[in-house]
Amino acid sequence: MRIPILKLYDYLLITIQIDLDDQTALQFQEDLLEKIHETGAKGVVIDLTSVDIIDSFIAKVLGEVVKMSNLMGARVVLTGIQPAVAVTLIDLGIYLNNVPTALDLEQGLEKLKQELEE
Amino acid sequence: MRIPILKLYDYLLITIQIDLDDQTALQFQEDLLEKIHETGAKGVVIDLTSVDIIDSFIAKVLGEVVKMSNLMGARVVLTGIQPAVAVTLIDLGIYLNNVPTALDLEQGLEKLKQELEE
């Protein structure tokens, strides 16, 4: 299945509301890059509020999609990382360095606006 | 599977990017009403840009969810109805009376803002 990607003005909004399996995560990576290309979006918010579990593969895919999007000229903010997910990421030694994060979708959008204005 | 519902400020945004089967449509109806209750959202935009096919059952469920949301105090705008879907709806004799519509997500949000300000 595919993760829906919403275009809103210059931004793409994604809420991941299922536990990602490997295939879905890779499909999402491909879809998001395609959508950035198609829409010329300047910013992306990926909301993980509903994600309770994350493994090293998914974390790697997410980390990569952020870097790939940046290469294409779109800033990415990850929002709503749950306590258990934060614990897992650090336990796995995955720090998502240089990836901006925020508490929720609204604050993620604010952060993007600030970054794009700088 | 479930249709993701995004909360953005006072609004809920939904893009339906799969062809709805009966079970998914009913689950969506339940989830949306629950989310309106939970968040106190004042407006809802349901974007149908990616929906190519619609049948009478799905159209009925959509029409109902609009009325139910209105009862709960949230305005609903349907956006991105495709030509083929518009043709099908009229062919089926389903007019979605009194349901505000708009071309895309952005215009749907503008419409909601206007309606809520009135």
Side-chain angles (χ1 to χ4, degrees):
Chain A
M1 64 148 300
R2 296 173 112 107
I3 308 280
I5 300 172
L6 277 78
K7 180 184 164 291
L8 190 66
Y9 307 103
D10 284 341
Y11 307 109
L12 299 178
L13 309 183
I14 301 105
T15 38
I16 298 178
Q17 298 189 350
I18 52 164
D19 284 321
L20 288 168
D21 58 64
D22 296 0
Q23 186 52 46
T24 307
L26 289 172
Q27 180 72 54
F28 166 65
Q29 194 176 64
E30 195 183 316
D31 288 349
L32 179 58
L33 298 178
E34 188 58 43
K35 197 89 175 182
I36 291 171
H37 178 69
E38 186 188 313
T39 59
K42 291 179 193 155
V44 178
V45 184
I46 303 177
D47 184 52
L48 302 171
T49 309
S50 308
V51 175
D52 299 320
I53 305 164
I54 200 161
D55 64 23
S56 57
F57 182 79
I58 304 293
K60 185 171 151 282
V61 171
L62 279 177
E64 280 176 4
V65 81
V66 172
K67 285 180 204 140
M68 292 169 184
S69 303
N70 288 343
L71 272 179
M72 292 182 70
R75 298 287 297 157
V76 183
V77 175
L78 295 181
T79 63
I81 293 179
Q82 294 295 313
V85 172
V87 169
T88 310
L89 287 175
I90 301 304
D91 279 352
L92 288 169
I94 298 164
Y95 293 92
L96 294 175
N97 283 328
N98 305 318
V99 178
T101 52
L103 199 65
D104 57 25
L105 200 57
E106 285 92 344
Q107 292 189 24
L109 272 178
E110 291 303 321
K111 195 152 189 171
L112 264 187
K113 273 184 203 160
Q114 281 170 17
E115 295 214 356
L116 291 172
E117 275 163 16
E118 272 168 16
Chain B
M1 65 150 298
R2 297 172 111 108
I3 308 280
I5 300 172
L6 277 78
K7 179 185 165 290
L8 190 66
Y9 307 104
D10 283 341
Y11 306 110
L12 298 178
L13 310 182
I14 302 105
T15 37
I16 298 178
Q17 298 190 351
I18 52 163
D19 285 322
L20 288 168
D21 59 63
D22 296 0
Q23 187 50 47
T24 307
L26 289 172
Q27 179 72 54
F28 166 64
Q29 194 177 64
E30 194 183 318
D31 288 348
L32 179 58
L33 298 178
E34 187 58 44
K35 197 90 175 182
I36 291 172
H37 178 68
E38 186 188 313
T39 61
K42 290 179 193 156
V44 178
V45 184
I46 303 178
D47 185 52
L48 302 170
T49 308
S50 308
V51 175
D52 299 320
I53 304 165
I54 200 161
D55 64 21
S56 57
F57 181 79
I58 304 293
K60 184 170 151 282
V61 171
L62 279 178
E64 280 176 3
V65 81
V66 173
K67 286 181 203 142
M68 292 169 183
S69 303
N70 288 343
L71 272 180
M72 292 181 68
R75 298 287 297 157
V76 182
V77 176
L78 294 181
T79 64
I81 293 181
Q82 294 295 313
V85 171
V87 169
T88 309
L89 287 175
I90 302 302
D91 279 352
L92 288 169
I94 298 164
Y95 294 91
L96 293 175
N97 284 328
N98 306 319
V99 179
T101 52
L103 199 65
D104 57 24
L105 199 58
E106 284 92 342
Q107 292 188 25
L109 272 177
E110 291 303 320
K111 196 152 188 169
L112 264 187
K113 274 184 203 161
Q114 279 169 20
E115 296 214 354
L116 291 173
E117 275 163 15
E118 273 167 13

